Amino acid sequence: MEVKTDNEEEEESPGLMEPLLPDYHYHNQFPSPLVRSSNVTSQIALVGAKFCPIESLDYEITENDFFKQDWRSRGCFQIFQYICMKWILCFLIGISVGLVGFFNNLAVENIAGMKFVITSNLMLARKFGGAFTVFALSNLGLTLFSSVITAYIAPAAAGSGIPEVKAYLNGVDAPGIFSPKTLVIKIIGSIAAVSASLQVGKAGPMVHTGACIAALLGQGGSKKYGMTWKWLRVFKNDRDRRDLVTCGSAAGIAAAFRAPVGGVLFALEEMASWWKSSLLWRTFFTTTVVAIVLRALIDVCNNGHCGLFGKGGLIMFDVTSASTAYHIADVPPVLVLAVIGGLLGGLYNYLLDKVLRVYSVINEKGVAYKILLACAISIITSCLLFGLPWFAPCRPCPADSYEACPTIGRSGNYKKYQCPPGHYNDLASLFFTTNDDAIKNLFSKDTDAEFYIFSILIFFVTCFFLSVISYGIVAPSGLFVPVIVTGASYGRFVGILLGSRSNLNHGLFAVLGSASLLGGSMRITVSTCVILLELTNNLLLLPLIMLVLLISKAVADGFNGNIYDIIMKLKGFPYLEAHAEPYMRQLTVNDVVTGPLQFFNGIEKVRNIVQVLKTTGHNGFPVIDEPPISMTPVLYGLVLRQYLIVLLKKKAFLPSPVPTGIHAFGQLCADDFGKRGSGKCDSIENIELTDEELEMFIDLHPFTNSSPYTVVETMSLGKALMIFREAGLRHMLVIPKTFGRLPVVGILTRHDFMPEHILGLHPFLFKSKWNRLRFRVSSLYKVFRSSPELNA
């Protein structure tokens, strides 16, 4: 059997190296004494439906004289106020996300419930044509509404949102992903898309919704709405917003599955690139608030105050009784289920990758094509959901059923559909309902005899197919729930095949099937395990779920990567992985920095600063002291573009190049340098200066980070990557190994660590680019064709 590395795969398919967008050639600010090619890593990414410039986030604390003076002036009360405000914001995030999650679910239950009731009434009256018309048109209308508002108002709200939030927490600032209109469209569009019976989920959009709420609450106040209190302005920095967005993403999962501990672990395992103990406590507090809010609101609905369908959703799935036992003989079937689940998960990621590439070609043709694509998927979905149950035979109702049979209306295990009195259609019980109810039906205990194996097989294949083609449409859509329901049907199928040869009931097999497909597709183990346990409320499943997740992930890792990582790559996000590729150990940082270098003197003329800012897009500039300020050229630090624009805007100029202290800038305060909301910043083009002002000077010393992260030019690129990622940096200065040269060789940013940039500069590394051993379908086919024993 032939095993290939990623470099061989990329050599055979060079198109796979490129993201779903054109290369954007950008001349970086990282120079070297030698002339090198520019960094051709994509500097733009596909955000929603547009190509947007990508900026990195400044998670590093800028330790300049101005910052130090501001912190020295703060008393114990202000520091205590800052800490309390963080906890208050976490509380508000939990309250808000809990309310949004509950009302999202309530809206889906009632909209979908009314649709299924009207359709079922027409079916009871034997008006099958009218029933299909109502069903298909209502689905089409909801899909059209969701896609139109997403395409025209907030394209960044399309899709799951988890890749965007994950990239943000890694340090990538994609414009518009946390804007107020993105939040509103994400909520409304997700409700419409899920109610339209599309094979999409609400968990991913809830993560994005929670992150949006957290980012907006952490904006640090707003002059537009008069919220400029000083105790809010302390959060005008990327570092605090990152922590709040992490809490928001955890709250989103907690609200989607009512799984507070699972939400914390999901944020830790999948979303956050940096973690600390204080953040763990705040995240746990946030998800606890979410759980309490949901519990209180569910109690209200259980008393009949939430409409006709208010009791559905957000409840635990009872899959098995507490007395269920399993033995060592039950382990081999579970192992087989896990292996096949890993293979299916790898296939799912592969197919979704291909579908998204096709959709990107369609989406490039215009908004009308995006909307038509969404409508086409809706029509296909309606035809399959309504038509396939006709192929399933009617079954007599069980005599010992604990619920009404047949079920009239939306939920229940016994849908009448077209069957005569006293009979039910098992396939309609899965298709003709919401995904939440389908999961409940599949997870239900004591239902081993309720589903034909043929019906379960049809349901599994259909869900697998629809979940692959439904994700890329221009509407808010998640992957979690579709993968769970598809995996549950796969697990049921395995349980039916085994029959009485296993002590495990079919509901438990459905849970294990969901775990196997989640592990195979999303490669999330710990948080998925806890989420499933919180959903089923049964700790007896823990050993089996752990075993299934570990095996399915290990098997799927041999074929491709995490589905969210695949989507991030397709979107062009420069995501920094937690590990360094082995070939990075063969290079030094001096092998990847590119020029020419732009730097400023400690006391610089205003004209020079304006000229550099207008002609470059760099966000950080080395500050070098030269004679007569110092005996020899000395690296003083790094000044940010944002700080320079503020100094120009405030006209903090000096008539002569004389060093000054921070007291000479009385018109400035620390709040002036606070970062505005995501994607919002002042532009150098908006600043007007006279000729006299252009001839003046600015003393950059008080505003320069005098302790930037630096690495020597001979450090290995892999080691530099670890420092860069762990410290959450945007800029890393490269200093020379020997004396007698400029005190700074260049600057590294995240784009210098991208494989596309490194391998573009050093193509010979393709042969030694050992990333992960991955099996390829084409390789297996070649082995089969070349083996006479297999062909015999």
Side-chain angles (χ1 to χ4, degrees):
M1 180 179 295
E2 183 179 357
V3 181
K4 294 197 174 185
T5 59
D6 280 358
N7 61 294
E8 292 172 303
E9 181 174 342
E10 288 168 351
E11 282 185 298
E12 294 185 7
S13 304
L16 295 180
M17 289 184 59
E18 301 174 2
L20 289 182
L21 43 114
D23 284 339
Y24 182 82
H25 297 276
Y26 173 85
H27 294 274
N28 273 316
Q29 66 265 43
F30 344 117
S32 172
L34 300 177
V35 178
R36 290 190 173 90
S37 61
S38 63
N39 186 341
V40 296
T41 306
S42 173
Q43 303 278 318
I44 60 175
L46 188 64
V47 182
K50 300 178 181 179
F51 294 138
C52 299
I54 287 295
E55 296 286 350
S56 294
L57 295 166
D58 294 297
Y59 289 152
E60 181 187 2
I61 295 177
T62 302
E63 294 183 343
N64 54 36
D65 293 340
F66 216 80
F67 168 83
K68 294 174 183 177
Q69 179 66 24
D70 178 62
W71 272 98
R72 290 192 195 102
S73 64
R74 296 186 182 184
C76 295
F77 176 76
Q78 290 176 305
I79 297 174
F80 177 76
Q81 190 179 54
Y82 167 75
I83 296 173
C84 289
M85 274 306 303
K86 274 196 169 185
W87 287 97
I88 292 173
L89 287 177
C90 289
F91 176 77
L92 294 176
I93 292 169
I95 292 285
S96 303
V97 176
L99 290 173
V100 170
F102 175 78
F103 288 111
N104 268 14
N105 189 78
L106 193 62
V108 170
E109 292 291 321
N110 281 278
I111 294 173
M114 292 303 299
K115 175 185 68 178
F116 285 122
V117 164
I118 295 173
T119 308
S120 297
N121 290 338
L122 291 173
M123 294 285 289
L124 290 174
R126 315 299 289 180
K127 298 179 181 178
F128 301 122
F132 173 72
T133 302
V134 170
F135 182 70
L137 288 181
S138 59
N139 289 340
L140 181 61
L142 290 168
T143 303
L144 182 62
F145 172 72
S146 178
S147 59
V148 167
I149 63 174
T150 303
Y152 284 103
I153 300 178
S160 168
I162 290 180
E164 286 82 356
V165 178
K166 184 176 179 180
Y168 179 88
L169 294 177
N170 189 258
V172 180
D173 188 15
I177 61 171
F178 294 144
S179 66
K181 64 180 181 180
T182 298
L183 172 62
V184 173
I185 299 304
K186 197 76 177 185
I187 295 172
I188 298 175
S190 176
I191 292 173
V194 176
S195 301
S197 294
L198 293 173
Q199 196 65 14
V200 297
K202 56 190 176 184
M206 272 306 305
V207 172
H208 193 183
T209 298
C212 282
I213 292 173
L216 292 174
L217 287 175
Q219 292 282 31
S222 171
K223 293 183 179 179
K224 181 178 179 181
Y225 300 106
M227 300 172 62
T228 57
W229 304 298
K230 187 175 182 179
W231 45 269
L232 278 178
R233 295 199 296 267
V234 295
F235 295 102
K236 283 184 175 292
N237 62 85
D238 291 329
R239 196 180 189 90
D240 286 325
R241 284 182 200 155
R242 175 191 68 190
D243 293 348
L244 292 175
V245 169
T246 303
C247 294
S249 63
I253 285 292
F257 295 114
R258 221 185 86 189
V261 180
V264 174
L265 294 175
F266 178 80
L268 169 62
E269 181 180 8
E270 180 62 16
M271 303 300 293
S273 295
W274 301 280
W275 199 263
K276 53 187 177 182
S277 59
S278 59
L279 180 58
L280 175 65
W281 280 106
R282 280 193 288 272
T283 306
F284 186 70
F285 171 71
T286 306
T287 57
T288 301
V289 174
V290 172
I292 293 173
V293 170
L294 292 179
R295 181 69 267 172
L297 293 174
I298 289 173
D299 288 340
V300 173
C301 286
N302 288 336
N303 294 327
H305 300 296
C306 295
L308 184 61
F309 305 101
K311 295 183 180 181
L314 286 175
I315 64 172
M316 295 182 178
F317 302 147
D318 187 11
V319 299
T320 181
S321 62
S323 60
T324 297
Y326 42 87
H327 308 285
I328 192 65
D330 297 315
V331 174
V334 171
L335 296 179
V336 174
L337 178 143
V339 171
I340 298 177
L343 296 174
L344 290 173
L347 176 63
Y348 181 88
N349 291 2
Y350 173 81
L351 294 177
L352 187 60
D353 180 18
K354 299 301 181 183
V355 168
L356 291 177
R357 292 177 182 274
V358 174
Y359 284 1
S360 70
V361 177
I362 298 174
N363 292 337
E364 287 176 357
K365 297 183 178 181
V367 175
Y369 286 89
K370 302 171 192 172
I371 297 174
L372 287 175
L373 175 63
C375 293
I377 298 299
S378 175
I379 294 172
I380 293 172
T381 302
S382 297
C383 292
L384 290 175
L385 298 188
F386 192 90
L388 288 176
W390 291 85
F391 294 95
C394 294
R395 306 190 66 180
C397 291
D400 56 348
S401 173
Y402 59 88
E403 64 176 81
C405 181
T407 304
I408 305 298
R410 180 186 57 86
S411 60
N413 285 14
Y414 306 100
K415 282 295 179 69
K416 186 175 184 298
Y417 210 62
Q418 90 288 6
C419 295
H423 292 72
Y424 72 97
N425 187 314
D426 61 342
L427 190 53
S429 299
L430 300 174
F431 273 136
F432 217 58
T433 187
T434 62
N435 278 336
D436 282 358
D437 287 325
I439 294 173
K440 293 174 194 173
N441 294 344
L442 291 168
F443 280 10
S444 296
K445 66 179 181 180
D446 302 328
T447 58
D448 290 4
E450 288 184 7
F451 299 99
Y452 276 128
I453 187 171
F454 178 69
S455 299
I456 291 294
L457 180 60
I458 292 178
F459 183 72
F460 164 68
V461 173
T462 306
C463 286
F464 192 95
F465 168 72
L466 289 179
S467 62
V468 168
I469 68 171
S470 299
Y471 177 75
I473 64 173
V474 59
S477 53
L479 290 171
F480 242 106
V481 173
V483 170
I484 289 176
V485 71
T486 305
S489 59
Y490 156 67
R492 270 270 179 173
F493 179 75
V494 173
I496 295 175
L497 282 179
L498 294 176
S500 59
R501 292 187 292 274
S502 175
N503 295 314
L504 308 180
N505 64 49
H506 295 176
L508 199 152
F509 268 111
V511 176
L512 297 179
S514 294
S516 69
L517 203 57
L518 284 169
S521 175
M522 300 185 178
R523 318 293 160 81
I524 311 172
T525 53
V526 179
S527 57
T528 299
C529 180
V530 174
I531 289 172
L532 288 175
L533 289 177
E534 290 183 287
L535 280 178
T536 58
N537 197 25
N538 197 321
L539 283 174
L540 292 175
L541 303 178
L542 178 61
L544 292 180
I545 292 179
M546 292 174 64
L547 183 65
V548 167
L549 285 169
L550 287 171
I551 295 176
S552 61
K553 180 186 184 303
V555 170
D557 277 340
F559 294 89
N560 45 44
N562 180 325
I563 185 61
Y564 296 125
D565 291 345
I566 291 174
I567 296 173
M568 280 194 297
K569 184 176 181 180
L570 294 180
K571 286 179 174 287
F573 293 135
Y575 184 84
L576 293 178
E577 297 289 349
H579 63 276
E581 302 291 353
Y583 64 87
M584 291 185 179
R585 304 292 179 183
Q586 304 176 36
L587 299 173
T588 65
V589 295
N590 195 41
D591 293 323
V592 297
V593 293
T594 54
L597 176 65
Q598 297 284 355
F599 65 89
F600 292 121
N601 294 318
I603 302 177
E604 188 62 79
K605 182 177 285 190
V606 174
R607 184 182 299 278
N608 294 339
I609 296 176
V610 173
Q611 176 68 20
V612 170
L613 293 182
K614 285 186 176 181
T615 57
T616 67
H618 312 335
N619 288 283
F621 302 89
V623 175
I624 298 177
D625 281 336
E626 296 181 324
I629 296 179
S630 64
M631 298 295 295
T632 58
V634 176
L635 173 64
Y636 184 82
L638 182 80
V639 65
L640 298 179
R641 181 187 192 92
Q642 168 194 352
Y643 281 43
L644 295 174
I645 291 179
V646 171
L647 293 174
L648 293 174
K649 185 178 179 181
K650 295 290 184 177
K651 300 186 177 182
F653 306 149
L654 301 173
S656 59
V658 178
T660 60
I662 58 175
H663 302 291
F665 301 93
Q667 76 272 34
L668 296 174
C669 64
D671 294 334
D672 294 328
F673 299 95
K675 187 172 182 179
R676 298 168 62 186
S678 179
K680 300 177 182 178
C681 60
D682 293 319
S683 173
I684 183 63
E685 283 74 18
N686 298 329
I687 299 176
E688 296 182 0
L689 299 172
T690 64
D691 290 337
E692 181 181 355
E693 291 170 337
L694 290 174
E695 295 302 319
M696 300 180 76
F697 298 87
I698 298 179
D699 186 0
L700 299 179
H701 293 99
F703 312 98
T704 299
N705 183 2
S706 57
S707 57
Y709 281 83
T710 60
V711 294
V712 69
E713 61 182 340
T714 55
M715 178 181 286
S716 74
L717 190 61
K719 187 175 182 180
L721 171 62
M722 293 297 98
I723 298 174
F724 193 95
R725 189 182 190 276
E726 292 300 323
L729 303 181
R730 184 176 186 177
H731 307 96
M732 177 182 282
L733 298 181
V734 180
I735 59 177
K737 180 76 171 180
T738 58
F739 296 102
R741 300 162 55 188
L742 278 176
V744 58
V745 175
I747 302 179
L748 291 172
T749 67
R750 67 174 50 243
H751 296 281
D752 290 284
F753 297 104
M754 294 295 106
E756 292 82 2
H757 171 56
I758 299 170
L759 298 175
L761 293 175
H762 306 281
F764 67 90
L765 290 174
F766 270 113
K767 293 298 182 182
S768 60
K769 181 178 176 283
W770 283 80
N771 183 3
R772 290 185 183 127
L773 292 177
R774 294 236 167 99
F775 299 94
R776 299 185 62 208
V777 176
S778 59
S779 301
L780 300 179
Y781 177 74
K782 292 176 183 177
V783 172
F784 178 83
R785 294 285 295 174
S786 61
S787 175
E789 293 83 0
L790 295 176
N791 288 322

Short mmCIF file of all heavy atoms in Angstrom, two decimals, residues 105-106 109-115 117 306-313 409-411:
data_model
loop_
_atom_site.label_atom_id
_atom_site.label_comp_id
_atom_site.label_asym_id
_atom_site.label_seq_id
_atom_site.Cartn_x
_atom_site.Cartn_y
_atom_site.Cartn_z
N ASN A 105 -34.42 28.71 19.34
CA ASN A 105 -35.02 27.39 19.36
C ASN A 105 -36.54 27.48 19.35
O ASN A 105 -37.23 26.72 18.67
CB ASN A 105 -34.54 26.62 20.58
CG ASN A 105 -34.95 25.17 20.55
OD1 ASN A 105 -34.34 24.37 19.86
ND2 ASN A 105 -35.98 24.83 21.29
N LEU A 106 -37.08 28.42 20.12
CA LEU A 106 -38.54 28.59 20.20
C LEU A 106 -39.09 28.99 18.83
O LEU A 106 -40.15 28.49 18.40
CB LEU A 106 -38.87 29.65 21.24
CG LEU A 106 -40.34 29.76 21.67
CD1 LEU A 106 -40.80 28.47 22.33
CD2 LEU A 106 -40.52 30.94 22.61
N GLU A 109 -38.98 25.93 16.49
CA GLU A 109 -40.00 24.95 16.86
C GLU A 109 -41.39 25.38 16.38
O GLU A 109 -42.16 24.57 15.87
CB GLU A 109 -40.01 24.76 18.38
CG GLU A 109 -38.78 24.08 18.94
CD GLU A 109 -38.70 22.62 18.54
OE1 GLU A 109 -39.75 21.96 18.52
OE2 GLU A 109 -37.60 22.15 18.24
N ASN A 110 -41.71 26.66 16.53
CA ASN A 110 -43.04 27.12 16.16
C ASN A 110 -43.21 27.29 14.65
O ASN A 110 -44.25 26.92 14.10
CB ASN A 110 -43.35 28.44 16.88
CG ASN A 110 -43.76 28.23 18.32
OD1 ASN A 110 -44.91 27.93 18.62
ND2 ASN A 110 -42.80 28.36 19.24
N ILE A 111 -42.19 27.82 13.97
CA ILE A 111 -42.29 27.97 12.52
C ILE A 111 -42.36 26.61 11.84
O ILE A 111 -43.24 26.34 11.02
CB ILE A 111 -41.11 28.80 11.98
CG1 ILE A 111 -41.18 30.23 12.52
CG2 ILE A 111 -41.11 28.80 10.46
CD1 ILE A 111 -39.96 31.07 12.17
N ALA A 112 -41.40 25.73 12.19
CA ALA A 112 -41.41 24.39 11.60
C ALA A 112 -42.64 23.61 12.04
O ALA A 112 -43.22 22.84 11.26
CB ALA A 112 -40.14 23.64 11.99
N GLY A 113 -43.07 23.80 13.29
CA GLY A 113 -44.23 23.09 13.79
C GLY A 113 -45.49 23.43 13.02
O GLY A 113 -46.26 22.54 12.63
N MET A 114 -45.72 24.71 12.77
CA MET A 114 -46.90 25.11 11.99
C MET A 114 -46.83 24.55 10.57
O MET A 114 -47.84 24.12 10.01
CB MET A 114 -47.00 26.63 11.97
CG MET A 114 -47.32 27.26 13.32
SD MET A 114 -48.87 26.62 14.03
CE MET A 114 -50.04 27.11 12.77
N LYS A 115 -45.65 24.56 9.99
CA LYS A 115 -45.50 24.02 8.64
C LYS A 115 -45.85 22.55 8.59
O LYS A 115 -46.61 22.10 7.71
CB LYS A 115 -44.05 24.23 8.17
CG LYS A 115 -43.72 23.62 6.83
CD LYS A 115 -42.24 23.78 6.51
CE LYS A 115 -41.38 22.94 7.43
NZ LYS A 115 -39.95 23.05 7.12
N VAL A 117 -47.69 20.84 10.75
CA VAL A 117 -49.09 20.60 11.11
C VAL A 117 -49.99 20.83 9.90
O VAL A 117 -50.90 20.03 9.61
CB VAL A 117 -49.50 21.51 12.29
CG1 VAL A 117 -51.02 21.59 12.41
CG2 VAL A 117 -48.91 20.98 13.58
N CYS A 306 -45.35 29.05 26.15
CA CYS A 306 -44.46 29.32 25.01
C CYS A 306 -45.08 28.92 23.68
O CYS A 306 -44.37 28.61 22.73
CB CYS A 306 -43.12 28.61 25.19
SG CYS A 306 -42.17 29.20 26.59
N GLY A 307 -46.39 28.88 23.62
CA GLY A 307 -47.02 28.54 22.36
C GLY A 307 -47.24 27.05 22.20
O GLY A 307 -46.93 26.24 23.07
N LEU A 308 -47.75 26.71 21.03
CA LEU A 308 -48.15 25.33 20.77
C LEU A 308 -46.98 24.36 20.79
O LEU A 308 -47.11 23.21 21.19
CB LEU A 308 -48.87 25.27 19.42
CG LEU A 308 -49.46 23.92 19.01
CD1 LEU A 308 -50.51 23.47 20.02
CD2 LEU A 308 -50.06 24.01 17.62
N PHE A 309 -45.81 24.83 20.37
CA PHE A 309 -44.67 23.94 20.23
C PHE A 309 -43.52 24.35 21.14
O PHE A 309 -42.36 24.11 20.85
CB PHE A 309 -44.18 23.92 18.77
CG PHE A 309 -45.26 23.58 17.80
CD1 PHE A 309 -45.89 24.58 17.08
CD2 PHE A 309 -45.67 22.28 17.63
CE1 PHE A 309 -46.89 24.28 16.18
CE2 PHE A 309 -46.67 21.97 16.74
CZ PHE A 309 -47.29 22.97 16.01
N GLY A 310 -43.82 25.01 22.23
CA GLY A 310 -42.78 25.55 23.10
C GLY A 310 -41.99 24.53 23.88
O GLY A 310 -40.93 24.84 24.41
N LYS A 311 -42.49 23.29 23.97
CA LYS A 311 -41.79 22.30 24.78
C LYS A 311 -40.72 21.54 24.00
O LYS A 311 -40.01 20.72 24.55
CB LYS A 311 -42.79 21.29 25.35
CG LYS A 311 -43.77 21.91 26.34
CD LYS A 311 -44.68 20.85 26.93
CE LYS A 311 -45.66 21.47 27.93
NZ LYS A 311 -46.55 20.46 28.53
N GLY A 312 -40.61 21.77 22.72
CA GLY A 312 -39.64 21.02 21.91
C GLY A 312 -38.25 21.59 22.01
O GLY A 312 -38.05 22.77 22.27
N GLY A 313 -37.25 20.75 21.79
CA GLY A 313 -35.86 21.19 21.75
C GLY A 313 -35.30 21.53 23.11
O GLY A 313 -36.00 21.66 24.11
N GLY A 409 -49.24 15.38 13.72
CA GLY A 409 -48.56 16.65 13.96
C GLY A 409 -47.08 16.56 13.66
O GLY A 409 -46.66 15.84 12.76
N ARG A 410 -46.28 17.25 14.45
CA ARG A 410 -44.87 17.46 14.11
C ARG A 410 -43.94 16.41 14.67
O ARG A 410 -43.11 15.86 13.98
CB ARG A 410 -44.45 18.86 14.59
CG ARG A 410 -43.02 19.21 14.28
CD ARG A 410 -42.67 20.53 14.92
NE ARG A 410 -42.90 20.48 16.35
CZ ARG A 410 -41.99 20.03 17.22
NH1 ARG A 410 -40.85 19.57 16.80
NH2 ARG A 410 -42.24 20.02 18.51
N SER A 411 -44.01 16.14 15.97
CA SER A 411 -43.00 15.30 16.60
C SER A 411 -43.57 13.94 16.94
O SER A 411 -44.77 13.68 16.83
CB SER A 411 -42.47 15.99 17.87
OG SER A 411 -43.53 16.19 18.78
#
